[in-house]
Amino acid sequence: MFDTREKKERSLGTKLFLKAYRCNSPKCVTTRRPQRPGIHGKSYKTLSEFGQQLKEKQKIRFTYGIREAQMKRLVKKAIKSSGITGEMMMSILERRLDNVVYRLGFAASRSVARQLVSHGHIIVNGRKTTIPSYQTRVNEVISIRPQSREYMIFKDLPETLKKYEAPVWLSVDAGKLEGKVIALPKDFETAFDVHMVVDYYSK
């Protein structure tokens, strides 16, 4: 049985780090099988401008695990906001609770972080929050629910966090297994061109 997450990466020809740890190892599918899926996948054909925009949009959707309807709402919200649309889009995506849990080092991938949130293992400002798309705010504290800390998935987390370096807009306390949003997201490192995505939805 093939893994649809790896198939998505092969179809786009880009590492999106959808699988925990695997993309940083020689087992990464884009290293082992760099061609596109299917019998005609020997090479990547030249795309039109629209095709390139569509590809960048799909990269964002797959990376953050959001549906098309969510993507449309996100772009509309970013356009209405004051500031550069592309940067506002990235700020909204990065402040999603599942992404913050991933960025804090609490989970090895965004898909794992999404499960942790939806299964009730994450609390925000002392309250259990089970909505992965929840928009975190500056000064909010995100932590592992005390009752969940004995679970195997969190067993080695304190030691892992001691070696982990969070993005500059987040702070992590390895001892308390908690993190804090100390600023709005910045200094994005992305595998896609967000401006192409804005152009795609502007038509």
Side-chain angles (χ1 to χ4, degrees):
M1 180 67 70
F2 61 83
D3 193 308
T4 56
R5 289 173 293 178
E6 292 193 332
K7 190 173 182 181
K8 289 173 181 177
E9 290 184 320
R10 288 180 61 204
S11 67
L12 294 172
T14 306
K15 283 186 180 183
L16 299 177
F17 299 93
L18 301 182
K19 295 195 73 174
Y21 306 115
R22 196 176 180 93
C23 263
N24 287 317
S25 75
K27 293 183 179 181
C28 180
V29 69
T30 56
T31 300
R32 293 184 298 107
R33 304 173 69 185
Q35 71 275 13
R36 293 167 56 213
I39 60 174
H40 300 295
K42 293 295 182 182
S43 62
Y44 291 90
K45 63 182 180 180
T46 303
L47 296 175
S48 64
E49 182 181 2
F50 176 79
Q52 290 175 333
Q53 292 171 351
L54 177 61
K55 181 178 178 179
E56 296 304 309
K57 185 260 292 186
Q58 295 294 70
K59 285 182 185 180
I60 290 182
R61 281 194 54 224
F62 297 157
T63 297
Y64 289 93
I66 60 177
R67 299 185 299 274
E68 179 63 26
Q70 290 177 301
M71 191 72 180
K72 289 180 179 178
R73 289 196 297 269
L74 185 153
V75 175
K76 287 182 180 179
K77 184 176 180 179
I79 291 174
K80 291 179 180 179
S81 302
S82 59
I84 301 173
T85 302
E87 292 181 0
M88 293 304 301
M89 275 184 58
M90 289 306 304
S91 179
I92 294 170
L93 286 167
E94 286 291 304
R95 286 187 289 115
R96 283 175 55 99
L97 180 56
D98 54 358
N99 181 74
V100 171
V101 169
Y102 165 66
R103 293 294 194 191
L104 287 170
F106 294 170
S109 69
R110 290 183 179 87
S111 59
V112 173
R114 193 154 44 249
Q115 286 186 324
L116 294 181
V117 174
S118 60
H119 290 176
H121 298 302
I122 303 299
I123 59 178
V124 179
N125 287 347
R127 298 184 64 179
K128 184 170 72 173
T129 305
T130 58
I131 303 172
S133 61
Y134 172 82
Q135 283 287 291
T136 58
R137 304 176 184 87
V138 176
N139 293 324
E140 284 192 322
V141 176
I142 295 89
S143 57
I144 308 298
R145 191 173 68 117
Q147 299 92 319
S148 301
R149 296 183 183 188
E150 299 301 319
Y151 291 2
M152 185 62 67
I153 193 171
F154 301 119
K155 181 180 178 181
D156 299 322
L157 188 56
E159 290 302 314
T160 301
L161 290 178
K162 288 179 182 178
K163 306 172 186 176
Y164 179 73
E165 186 175 345
V168 295
W169 53 280
L170 297 172
S171 66
V172 181
D173 187 322
K176 294 182 178 179
L177 290 185
E178 71 177 30
K180 186 176 182 180
V181 181
I182 58 177
L184 293 176
K186 58 183 178 180
D187 298 332
F188 305 112
E189 293 184 9
T190 63
F192 35 77
D193 187 335
V194 68
H195 301 295
M196 279 193 175
V197 180
V198 175
D199 291 340
Y200 175 88
Y201 285 103
S202 297
K203 294 179 178 178

